[in-house]
C-alpha cells in the first residue's frame, strides 16, 4: 500500500472509513445512552472527538491543502482553504486543542459526526480521481489512509481500556492467536541498511534517512515472550525485587500499585503462580489466556525487568529489523503484538521532518520504540521498517516484547 496507485488507494480509503464507522458502531451500542461520556484519561480521547479528528485530518491535508500535489515539497504552514465545517479547527485540530480540553468541547452529535466523515471522504475521493499518479501527487492520500488506520487501532485499544464489549467477529480478530514456540534464532553478523529508502512510494519521516549499520552476530527469540514464560517471572517474585528494575521503572511500579491496586500486567485479574493460569480482561470479558499466547499489555519497564530476570535484554531496532527480513523462513514470527525495543525513539542521521511535522519530531528522546504490529493493526500498515513509539509506561496498547541473548 505504500506504493499504491489511485485505484487501489480509493478502495483502501473507503475500506478505512468503513472500518472506522464499524468500530464506532460498537461505541454507539455501549455509550450512546450515556452521551458518550468516558473518563478523562491521558491515554484516550473522547470517542466523538476521535471520530471528528479523523475527518478533520483528511480534509486539512487534502481537501483544504492547496499544495497537496507537491507532496513532500508542500509548505506545512501555508494558508488553507476554509473547511466545510466552520468549527472544524476549533474542535478537531490536535495541535491547537489541548488534550485535557477535549472533554468540554461542544462537539456535534452522532448523526452530524457520521455525516462529517462521509462528506470529507467524498471530497477526498473526488480529488483523488483528478490527481496524477506520481508519488508527490499521492503522498497526502497515502498519509491520510495510514493516519486513519492508526486511529482505528487507537479506537480498538480505547475500547479495551473502557471495557467495551465487541461483537464476536471483532473480539475474535482482536485476540492474539496461540504461537508455535520455537528455540531462539542465531542471526549471523551483517551490514544492514537501517530504515527505508526515500523513494519510490510512501515513507514515514522517522524511517529516514536510510544508513548502513554493522550488526554483530546475535541471538533473538523466534516469537514474543509467552504467558507461560512471563508467569515464571511472577512466580519468582519479579514484581517484588527492586534489583530487577531500573529506578524509574521501580518508581512507576510503586505508583501503579498505589493508584490502581495491582502489581502485575494491566487487565490481568489473576495470574496463577502454581497453576500458571492467566485471567485477563479482554473488552470487558474475563478470558483465560493460553500459555503459548504472547504476553500482552506490559509496559517497557516490565519488559526490561523480565529481561534482567531472565539474563537477557530487549533487542536493538536494527537487530529486530534484520531478523524480520532475514529469518522469517526460520520461524521469526511478528505481527501479533507490538514489541518494545531496547532503544529510545531518536531520529536517524540526516532526519528531516515531513510536512506533518508533529508526527515524529516532538517525541524524540522521551518515547521508546516498538516494532512489528498487533492483531488490531490493519494489514496494509504492517511493515518491517515501520517505527511505532510510546512512553515507556504505556501498557494500554497491544504491546509485548521478545528478548536477545546478552
Amino acid at each position: 500500500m505504500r506504493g499504491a496507485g489511485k485505484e487501489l488507494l480509493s478502495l483502501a480509503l473507503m475500506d478505512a472509513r468503513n472500518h472506522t464507522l464499524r468500530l464506532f458502531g460498537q461505541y454507539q451500542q455501549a455509550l450512546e445512552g450515556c452521551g458518550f461520556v468516558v473518563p478523562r484519561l491521558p491515554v484516550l480521547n473522547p470517542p466523538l472527538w476521535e471520530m471528528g479528528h479523523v475527518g478533520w485530518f483528511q480534509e486539512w491535508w487534502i481537501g483544504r491543502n492547496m499544495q497537496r500535489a507537491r507532496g513532500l515539497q508542500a509548505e506545512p504552514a501555508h494558508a488553507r482553504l476554509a473547511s466545510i465545517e466552520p468549527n472544524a479547527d476549533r474542535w478537531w485540530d490536535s495541535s491547537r486543542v489541548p488534550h485535557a480540553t477535549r472533554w468540554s468541547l461542544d462537539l456535534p452529535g452522532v448523526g452530524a459526526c457520521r455525516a462529517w466523515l462521509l462528506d470529507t471522504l467524498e471530497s477526498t475521493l473526488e480529488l483523488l480521481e483528478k490527481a496524477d499518479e506520481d508519488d508527490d501527487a499521492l503522498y497526502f492520500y497515502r498519509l491520510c489512509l495510514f493516519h486513519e488506520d492508526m486511529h482505528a487501532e487507537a479506537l480498538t485499544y480505547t475500547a479495551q481500556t473502557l471495557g467495551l464489549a465487541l461483537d464476536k467477529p471483532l473480539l475474535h480478530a482482536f485476540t492474539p492467536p496461540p504461537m508455535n514456540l520455537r528455540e531462539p534464532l542465531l542471526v549471523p553478523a551483517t551490514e544492514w541498511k537501517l530504515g527505508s529508502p526515500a523513494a519510490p512510494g510512501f515513507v514515514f519521516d522517522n524511517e529516514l534517512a536510510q544508513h548502513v549499520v554493522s550488526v554483530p552476530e546475535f541471538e533473538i527469540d523466534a516469537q514474543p515472550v509467552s504467558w507461560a514464560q512471563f508467569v515464571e517471572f511472577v512466580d519468582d517474585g519479579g514484581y517484588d525485587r527492586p534489583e530487577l528494575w531500573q529506578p524509574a521503572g521501580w518508581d512507576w511500579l510503586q505508583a501503579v500499585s498505589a493508584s490502581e491496586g495491582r502489581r502485575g500486567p494491566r487487565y490481568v485479574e489473576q495470574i496463577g503462580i502454581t497453576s500458571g493460569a492467566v485471567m485477563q480482561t479482554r473488552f470487558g470479558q474475563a478470558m483465560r489466556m493460553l500459555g503459548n499466547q504472547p504476553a500482552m499489555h506490559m509496559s517497557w519497564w516490565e519488559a526490561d525487568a523480565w529481561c534482567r530476570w531472565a539474563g537477557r535484554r530487549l533487542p536493538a531496532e536494527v537487530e529486530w529489523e534484520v531478523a524480520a527480513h532475514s529469518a522469517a523462513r526460520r520461524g521469526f514470527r511478528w505481527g501479533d503484538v507490538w514489541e518494545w525495543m531496547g532503544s529510545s525513539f531518536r531520529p536517524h542521521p540526516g532526519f528531516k521532518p515531513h510536512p506533518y511535522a508533529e508526527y515524529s519530531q516532538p517525541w524524540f528522546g522521551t518515547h521508546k520504540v516498538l516494532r512489528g504490529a498487533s492483531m488490531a493493526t490493519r494489514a496494509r500498515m504492517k511493515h518491517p521498517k515501520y517505527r511505532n513509539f510510546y512512553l515507556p509506561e504505556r501498557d494500554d496498547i497491544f504491546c509485548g516484547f521478545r528478548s536477545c541473548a546478552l
Side-chain angles (χ1 to χ4, degrees):
M1 285 306 303
R2 290 183 171 209
K6 290 166 52 174
E7 183 176 354
L8 188 54
L9 269 175
S10 178
L11 294 171
L13 286 162
M14 287 188 282
D15 171 72
R17 190 56 47 90
N18 286 337
H19 185 62
T20 299
L21 290 170
R22 182 183 179 191
L23 289 172
F24 189 58
Q26 308 292 302
Y27 281 81
Q28 277 189 264
Q29 292 178 29
L31 299 175
E32 193 166 15
C34 64
F36 291 92
V37 174
V38 298
R40 186 174 302 194
L41 299 174
V43 298
L44 56 82
N45 285 305
L48 287 173
W49 186 93
E50 189 108 29
M51 298 291 292
H53 170 74
V54 167
W56 174 88
F57 187 93
Q58 195 171 99
E59 190 195 44
W60 177 262
W61 288 111
I62 297 175
R64 300 170 61 185
N65 181 3
M66 293 183 290
Q67 297 186 15
R68 60 181 170 270
R70 297 184 61 191
L72 293 177
Q73 309 309 312
E75 299 168 10
H78 77 274
R80 292 299 204 278
L81 297 171
S83 172
I84 59 176
E85 166 50 64
N87 292 302
D89 294 342
R90 182 174 68 83
W91 286 334
W92 296 310
D93 184 346
S94 55
S95 64
R96 301 182 194 178
V97 183
H99 181 266
T101 69
R102 295 170 189 173
W103 278 259
S104 56
L105 294 168
D106 54 334
L107 297 172
V110 175
C113 186
R114 283 183 172 274
W116 162 250
L117 288 177
L118 293 173
D119 289 343
T120 50
L121 177 62
E122 182 179 10
S123 171
T124 294
L125 296 178
E126 288 177 355
L127 292 169
L128 175 59
E129 190 175 352
K130 302 170 186 175
D132 292 332
E133 281 278 8
D134 60 89
D135 283 340
D136 282 337
L138 298 180
Y139 174 82
F140 288 110
Y141 297 93
R142 294 166 178 164
L143 172 67
C144 289
L145 170 65
F146 294 137
H147 174 266
E148 183 156 0
D149 285 341
M150 292 178 203
H151 277 274
E153 183 158 357
L155 281 167
T156 307
Y157 65 67
T158 296
Q160 166 72 348
T161 299
L162 297 173
L164 301 188
L166 300 181
D167 61 37
K168 287 185 178 180
L170 286 177
L171 181 62
H172 176 75
F174 298 150
T175 299
M179 305 177 293
N180 293 321
L181 303 182
R182 300 173 180 265
E183 293 296 316
L185 304 169
L186 188 64
V187 180
T190 187
E191 297 282 314
W192 186 255
K193 291 182 179 179
L194 182 62
S196 295
F202 179 89
V203 180
F204 290 97
D205 60 5
N206 61 56
E207 297 171 14
L208 298 170
Q210 190 176 60
H211 56 292
V212 176
V213 178
S214 295
V215 185
E217 181 183 77
F218 64 96
E219 180 196 283
I220 189 168
D221 291 339
Q223 63 280 315
V225 168
S226 67
W227 276 118
Q229 292 172 295
F230 199 83
V231 166
E232 293 181 18
F233 167 74
V234 178
D235 185 27
D236 200 33
Y239 280 91
D240 298 304
R241 295 169 57 183
E243 72 273 14
L244 297 176
W245 297 73
Q246 295 194 27
W250 185 251
D251 291 343
W252 169 83
L253 179 60
Q254 306 319 302
V256 164
S257 180
S259 64
E260 301 179 25
R262 66 179 171 95
R263 206 167 183 82
R266 181 175 287 275
Y267 310 123
V268 169
E269 305 300 325
Q270 177 185 343
I271 187 161
I273 294 177
T274 55
S275 67
V278 176
M279 294 294 292
Q280 188 172 47
T281 301
R282 305 283 302 136
F283 302 102
Q285 299 182 36
M287 297 177 63
R288 178 166 180 158
M289 310 310 292
L290 302 177
N292 61 345
Q293 283 179 296
M296 187 170 62
H297 293 302
M298 280 78 181
S299 68
W300 187 91
W301 304 118
E302 289 165 290
D304 180 70
W306 185 94
C307 288
R308 289 165 181 254
W309 166 82
R312 295 176 70 81
R313 61 176 174 81
L314 291 171
E317 274 194 83
V318 68
E319 292 171 328
W320 191 96
E321 192 172 300
V322 168
H325 281 84
S326 65
R329 292 183 180 179
R330 297 167 53 204
F332 187 86
R333 174 178 177 144
W334 64 277
D336 297 324
V337 291
W338 289 104
E339 301 176 33
W340 290 109
M341 298 293 102
S343 49
S344 294
F345 181 51
R346 301 190 186 281
H348 291 332
F351 169 84
K352 294 180 181 179
H354 284 180
Y356 177 31
E358 295 85 1
Y359 177 62
S360 300
Q361 194 165 236
W363 320 116
F364 289 139
T366 58
H367 289 47
K368 296 292 186 180
V369 175
L370 300 100
R371 286 299 195 102
S374 82
M375 71 283 163
T377 308
R378 302 309 303 279
R380 56 179 163 256
M381 275 289 295
K382 296 182 178 182
H383 196 284
K385 295 283 188 179
Y386 182 73
R387 306 175 77 198
N388 204 350
F389 48 94
Y390 280 96
L391 289 168
E393 62 265 28
R394 289 291 293 268
D395 53 11
D396 57 305
I397 59 176
F398 303 119
C399 53
F401 64 98
R402 77 178 73 214
S403 68
C404 286
L406 294 174

PDB file of all heavy atoms in Angstrom, residues 343-363:
ATOM      1  N   SER A 343      15.814   0.430  22.628  1.00  0.00           N
ATOM      2  CA  SER A 343      16.299   1.781  22.332  1.00  0.00           C
ATOM      3  C   SER A 343      15.206   2.838  22.468  1.00  0.00           C
ATOM      4  O   SER A 343      14.014   2.561  22.305  1.00  0.00           O
ATOM      5  CB  SER A 343      16.859   1.818  20.904  1.00  0.00           C
ATOM      6  OG  SER A 343      15.946   1.225  19.993  1.00  0.00           O
ATOM      7  N   SER A 344      15.645   4.063  22.765  1.00  0.00           N
ATOM      8  CA  SER A 344      14.741   5.197  22.776  1.00  0.00           C
ATOM      9  C   SER A 344      14.450   5.641  21.343  1.00  0.00           C
ATOM     10  O   SER A 344      15.207   5.336  20.416  1.00  0.00           O
ATOM     11  CB  SER A 344      15.346   6.364  23.569  1.00  0.00           C
ATOM     12  OG  SER A 344      15.460   6.026  24.933  1.00  0.00           O
ATOM     13  N   PHE A 345      13.372   6.350  21.176  1.00  0.00           N
ATOM     14  CA  PHE A 345      12.958   6.849  19.865  1.00  0.00           C
ATOM     15  C   PHE A 345      13.784   8.083  19.526  1.00  0.00           C
ATOM     16  O   PHE A 345      13.646   9.127  20.164  1.00  0.00           O
ATOM     17  CB  PHE A 345      11.465   7.181  19.907  1.00  0.00           C
ATOM     18  CG  PHE A 345      10.897   7.680  18.607  1.00  0.00           C
ATOM     19  CD1 PHE A 345      11.099   6.980  17.422  1.00  0.00           C
ATOM     20  CD2 PHE A 345      10.138   8.841  18.575  1.00  0.00           C
ATOM     21  CE1 PHE A 345      10.550   7.436  16.228  1.00  0.00           C
ATOM     22  CE2 PHE A 345       9.583   9.296  17.391  1.00  0.00           C
ATOM     23  CZ  PHE A 345       9.794   8.601  16.219  1.00  0.00           C
ATOM     24  N   ARG A 346      14.664   7.930  18.558  1.00  0.00           N
ATOM     25  CA  ARG A 346      15.535   9.031  18.139  1.00  0.00           C
ATOM     26  C   ARG A 346      15.564   9.098  16.618  1.00  0.00           C
ATOM     27  O   ARG A 346      15.287   8.114  15.930  1.00  0.00           O
ATOM     28  CB  ARG A 346      16.955   8.843  18.682  1.00  0.00           C
ATOM     29  CG  ARG A 346      17.012   8.772  20.205  1.00  0.00           C
ATOM     30  CD  ARG A 346      18.436   8.838  20.733  1.00  0.00           C
ATOM     31  NE  ARG A 346      18.466   8.627  22.174  1.00  0.00           N
ATOM     32  CZ  ARG A 346      18.161   9.560  23.080  1.00  0.00           C
ATOM     33  NH1 ARG A 346      17.802  10.760  22.684  1.00  0.00           N
ATOM     34  NH2 ARG A 346      18.217   9.279  24.371  1.00  0.00           N
ATOM     35  N   PRO A 347      15.911  10.265  16.071  1.00  0.00           N
ATOM     36  CA  PRO A 347      15.966  10.380  14.602  1.00  0.00           C
ATOM     37  C   PRO A 347      17.166   9.643  14.042  1.00  0.00           C
ATOM     38  O   PRO A 347      18.212   9.540  14.690  1.00  0.00           O
ATOM     39  CB  PRO A 347      16.087  11.888  14.376  1.00  0.00           C
ATOM     40  CG  PRO A 347      16.747  12.404  15.627  1.00  0.00           C
ATOM     41  CD  PRO A 347      16.233  11.534  16.741  1.00  0.00           C
ATOM     42  N   HIS A 348      17.020   9.109  12.837  1.00  0.00           N
ATOM     43  CA  HIS A 348      18.164   8.580  12.113  1.00  0.00           C
ATOM     44  C   HIS A 348      19.033   9.746  11.643  1.00  0.00           C
ATOM     45  O   HIS A 348      18.536  10.873  11.475  1.00  0.00           O
ATOM     46  CB  HIS A 348      17.706   7.761  10.902  1.00  0.00           C
ATOM     47  CG  HIS A 348      17.032   6.467  11.259  1.00  0.00           C
ATOM     48  ND1 HIS A 348      17.299   5.770  12.414  1.00  0.00           N
ATOM     49  CD2 HIS A 348      16.103   5.724  10.588  1.00  0.00           C
ATOM     50  CE1 HIS A 348      16.581   4.667  12.445  1.00  0.00           C
ATOM     51  NE2 HIS A 348      15.838   4.618  11.352  1.00  0.00           N
ATOM     52  N   PRO A 349      20.315   9.515  11.409  1.00  0.00           N
ATOM     53  CA  PRO A 349      21.174  10.590  10.897  1.00  0.00           C
ATOM     54  C   PRO A 349      20.597  11.174   9.612  1.00  0.00           C
ATOM     55  O   PRO A 349      20.158  10.450   8.726  1.00  0.00           O
ATOM     56  CB  PRO A 349      22.504   9.872  10.629  1.00  0.00           C
ATOM     57  CG  PRO A 349      22.490   8.678  11.524  1.00  0.00           C
ATOM     58  CD  PRO A 349      21.058   8.249  11.608  1.00  0.00           C
ATOM     59  N   GLY A 350      20.580  12.496   9.532  1.00  0.00           N
ATOM     60  CA  GLY A 350      20.049  13.157   8.350  1.00  0.00           C
ATOM     61  C   GLY A 350      18.546  13.343   8.362  1.00  0.00           C
ATOM     62  O   GLY A 350      17.955  13.718   7.342  1.00  0.00           O
ATOM     63  N   PHE A 351      17.907  13.114   9.518  1.00  0.00           N
ATOM     64  CA  PHE A 351      16.457  13.252   9.607  1.00  0.00           C
ATOM     65  C   PHE A 351      15.992  14.658   9.243  1.00  0.00           C
ATOM     66  O   PHE A 351      16.585  15.653   9.658  1.00  0.00           O
ATOM     67  CB  PHE A 351      15.977  12.921  11.019  1.00  0.00           C
ATOM     68  CG  PHE A 351      14.540  13.287  11.285  1.00  0.00           C
ATOM     69  CD1 PHE A 351      13.529  12.429  10.921  1.00  0.00           C
ATOM     70  CD2 PHE A 351      14.213  14.504  11.881  1.00  0.00           C
ATOM     71  CE1 PHE A 351      12.190  12.763  11.155  1.00  0.00           C
ATOM     72  CE2 PHE A 351      12.889  14.839  12.124  1.00  0.00           C
ATOM     73  CZ  PHE A 351      11.878  13.966  11.758  1.00  0.00           C
ATOM     74  N   LYS A 352      14.901  14.719   8.464  1.00  0.00           N
ATOM     75  CA  LYS A 352      14.209  15.970   8.160  1.00  0.00           C
ATOM     76  C   LYS A 352      12.715  15.727   8.313  1.00  0.00           C
ATOM     77  O   LYS A 352      12.188  14.765   7.746  1.00  0.00           O
ATOM     78  CB  LYS A 352      14.516  16.443   6.740  1.00  0.00           C
ATOM     79  CG  LYS A 352      15.972  16.843   6.514  1.00  0.00           C
ATOM     80  CD  LYS A 352      16.188  17.294   5.069  1.00  0.00           C
ATOM     81  CE  LYS A 352      17.650  17.671   4.845  1.00  0.00           C
ATOM     82  NZ  LYS A 352      17.896  18.095   3.430  1.00  0.00           N
ATOM     83  N   PRO A 353      12.021  16.567   9.074  1.00  0.00           N
ATOM     84  CA  PRO A 353      10.584  16.342   9.249  1.00  0.00           C
ATOM     85  C   PRO A 353       9.825  16.525   7.946  1.00  0.00           C
ATOM     86  O   PRO A 353      10.167  17.371   7.123  1.00  0.00           O
ATOM     87  CB  PRO A 353      10.178  17.393  10.286  1.00  0.00           C
ATOM     88  CG  PRO A 353      11.208  18.467  10.163  1.00  0.00           C
ATOM     89  CD  PRO A 353      12.482  17.773   9.790  1.00  0.00           C
ATOM     90  N   HIS A 354       8.803  15.719   7.760  1.00  0.00           N
ATOM     91  CA  HIS A 354       7.908  15.855   6.619  1.00  0.00           C
ATOM     92  C   HIS A 354       6.867  16.935   6.921  1.00  0.00           C
ATOM     93  O   HIS A 354       6.836  17.476   8.032  1.00  0.00           O
ATOM     94  CB  HIS A 354       7.261  14.509   6.318  1.00  0.00           C
ATOM     95  CG  HIS A 354       8.210  13.559   5.634  1.00  0.00           C
ATOM     96  ND1 HIS A 354       7.844  12.278   5.255  1.00  0.00           N
ATOM     97  CD2 HIS A 354       9.506  13.699   5.246  1.00  0.00           C
ATOM     98  CE1 HIS A 354       8.870  11.678   4.666  1.00  0.00           C
ATOM     99  NE2 HIS A 354       9.879  12.515   4.660  1.00  0.00           N
ATOM    100  N   PRO A 355       6.025  17.285   5.968  1.00  0.00           N
ATOM    101  CA  PRO A 355       5.060  18.374   6.215  1.00  0.00           C
ATOM    102  C   PRO A 355       4.237  18.219   7.492  1.00  0.00           C
ATOM    103  O   PRO A 355       3.974  19.208   8.184  1.00  0.00           O
ATOM    104  CB  PRO A 355       4.182  18.329   4.959  1.00  0.00           C
ATOM    105  CG  PRO A 355       5.096  17.846   3.886  1.00  0.00           C
ATOM    106  CD  PRO A 355       5.983  16.836   4.557  1.00  0.00           C
ATOM    107  N   TYR A 356       3.831  16.992   7.818  1.00  0.00           N
ATOM    108  CA  TYR A 356       3.155  16.756   9.089  1.00  0.00           C
ATOM    109  C   TYR A 356       4.233  16.633  10.166  1.00  0.00           C
ATOM    110  O   TYR A 356       4.562  15.556  10.646  1.00  0.00           O
ATOM    111  CB  TYR A 356       2.298  15.494   8.982  1.00  0.00           C
ATOM    112  CG  TYR A 356       1.583  15.073  10.251  1.00  0.00           C
ATOM    113  CD1 TYR A 356       1.151  16.000  11.198  1.00  0.00           C
ATOM    114  CD2 TYR A 356       1.324  13.723  10.497  1.00  0.00           C
ATOM    115  CE1 TYR A 356       0.511  15.609  12.347  1.00  0.00           C
ATOM    116  CE2 TYR A 356       0.676  13.310  11.651  1.00  0.00           C
ATOM    117  CZ  TYR A 356       0.269  14.260  12.576  1.00  0.00           C
ATOM    118  OH  TYR A 356      -0.370  13.875  13.723  1.00  0.00           O
ATOM    119  N   ALA A 357       4.793  17.775  10.539  1.00  0.00           N
ATOM    120  CA  ALA A 357       5.990  17.807  11.382  1.00  0.00           C
ATOM    121  C   ALA A 357       5.724  17.313  12.796  1.00  0.00           C
ATOM    122  O   ALA A 357       6.658  16.902  13.494  1.00  0.00           O
ATOM    123  CB  ALA A 357       6.549  19.230  11.426  1.00  0.00           C
ATOM    124  N   GLU A 358       4.458  17.341  13.242  1.00  0.00           N
ATOM    125  CA  GLU A 358       4.140  16.915  14.608  1.00  0.00           C
ATOM    126  C   GLU A 358       4.119  15.402  14.758  1.00  0.00           C
ATOM    127  O   GLU A 358       3.953  14.896  15.862  1.00  0.00           O
ATOM    128  CB  GLU A 358       2.774  17.484  15.035  1.00  0.00           C
ATOM    129  CG  GLU A 358       2.709  18.984  15.139  1.00  0.00           C
ATOM    130  CD  GLU A 358       2.410  19.642  13.790  1.00  0.00           C
ATOM    131  OE1 GLU A 358       2.236  18.900  12.788  1.00  0.00           O
ATOM    132  OE2 GLU A 358       2.371  20.880  13.731  1.00  0.00           O
ATOM    133  N   TYR A 359       4.302  14.667  13.673  1.00  0.00           N
ATOM    134  CA  TYR A 359       4.192  13.213  13.750  1.00  0.00           C
ATOM    135  C   TYR A 359       5.314  12.603  14.582  1.00  0.00           C
ATOM    136  O   TYR A 359       5.059  11.810  15.496  1.00  0.00           O
ATOM    137  CB  TYR A 359       4.171  12.602  12.346  1.00  0.00           C
ATOM    138  CG  TYR A 359       4.139  11.084  12.361  1.00  0.00           C
ATOM    139  CD1 TYR A 359       3.071  10.406  12.939  1.00  0.00           C
ATOM    140  CD2 TYR A 359       5.185  10.340  11.834  1.00  0.00           C
ATOM    141  CE1 TYR A 359       3.033   9.021  12.985  1.00  0.00           C
ATOM    142  CE2 TYR A 359       5.157   8.953  11.863  1.00  0.00           C
ATOM    143  CZ  TYR A 359       4.078   8.303  12.438  1.00  0.00           C
ATOM    144  OH  TYR A 359       4.058   6.932  12.488  1.00  0.00           O
ATOM    145  N   SER A 360       6.558  12.949  14.283  1.00  0.00           N
ATOM    146  CA  SER A 360       7.703  12.310  14.938  1.00  0.00           C
ATOM    147  C   SER A 360       8.498  13.254  15.832  1.00  0.00           C
ATOM    148  O   SER A 360       8.849  12.914  16.967  1.00  0.00           O
ATOM    149  CB  SER A 360       8.664  11.735  13.879  1.00  0.00           C
ATOM    150  OG  SER A 360       8.043  10.788  13.067  1.00  0.00           O
ATOM    151  N   GLN A 361       8.801  14.426  15.310  1.00  0.00           N
ATOM    152  CA  GLN A 361       9.818  15.295  15.914  1.00  0.00           C
ATOM    153  C   GLN A 361       9.577  15.622  17.385  1.00  0.00           C
ATOM    154  O   GLN A 361      10.533  15.618  18.185  1.00  0.00           O
ATOM    155  CB  GLN A 361       9.918  16.585  15.083  1.00  0.00           C
ATOM    156  CG  GLN A 361      11.148  17.416  15.393  1.00  0.00           C
ATOM    157  CD  GLN A 361      11.391  18.449  14.314  1.00  0.00           C
ATOM    158  OE1 GLN A 361      12.453  18.517  13.707  1.00  0.00           O
ATOM    159  NE2 GLN A 361      10.393  19.276  14.053  1.00  0.00           N
ATOM    160  N   PRO A 362       8.335  15.873  17.833  1.00  0.00           N
ATOM    161  CA  PRO A 362       8.156  16.240  19.243  1.00  0.00           C
ATOM    162  C   PRO A 362       8.433  15.110  20.228  1.00  0.00           C
ATOM    163  O   PRO A 362       8.570  15.364  21.434  1.00  0.00           O
ATOM    164  CB  PRO A 362       6.671  16.655  19.304  1.00  0.00           C
ATOM    165  CG  PRO A 362       6.275  16.936  17.903  1.00  0.00           C
ATOM    166  CD  PRO A 362       7.088  15.996  17.071  1.00  0.00           C
ATOM    167  N   TRP A 363       8.530  13.880  19.754  1.00  0.00           N
ATOM    168  CA  TRP A 363       8.595  12.733  20.664  1.00  0.00           C
ATOM    169  C   TRP A 363       9.977  12.103  20.755  1.00  0.00           C
ATOM    170  O   TRP A 363      10.166  11.144  21.512  1.00  0.00           O
ATOM    171  CB  TRP A 363       7.568  11.686  20.227  1.00  0.00           C
ATOM    172  CG  TRP A 363       6.282  12.327  19.780  1.00  0.00           C
ATOM    173  CD1 TRP A 363       5.739  12.301  18.530  1.00  0.00           C
ATOM    174  CD2 TRP A 363       5.395  13.123  20.579  1.00  0.00           C
ATOM    175  NE1 TRP A 363       4.566  13.015  18.497  1.00  0.00           N
ATOM    176  CE2 TRP A 363       4.337  13.533  19.738  1.00  0.00           C
ATOM    177  CE3 TRP A 363       5.394  13.521  21.928  1.00  0.00           C
ATOM    178  CZ2 TRP A 363       3.286  14.340  20.211  1.00  0.00           C
ATOM    179  CZ3 TRP A 363       4.349  14.314  22.382  1.00  0.00           C
ATOM    180  CH2 TRP A 363       3.314  14.712  21.537  1.00  0.00           C
TER     181      TRP A 363
END
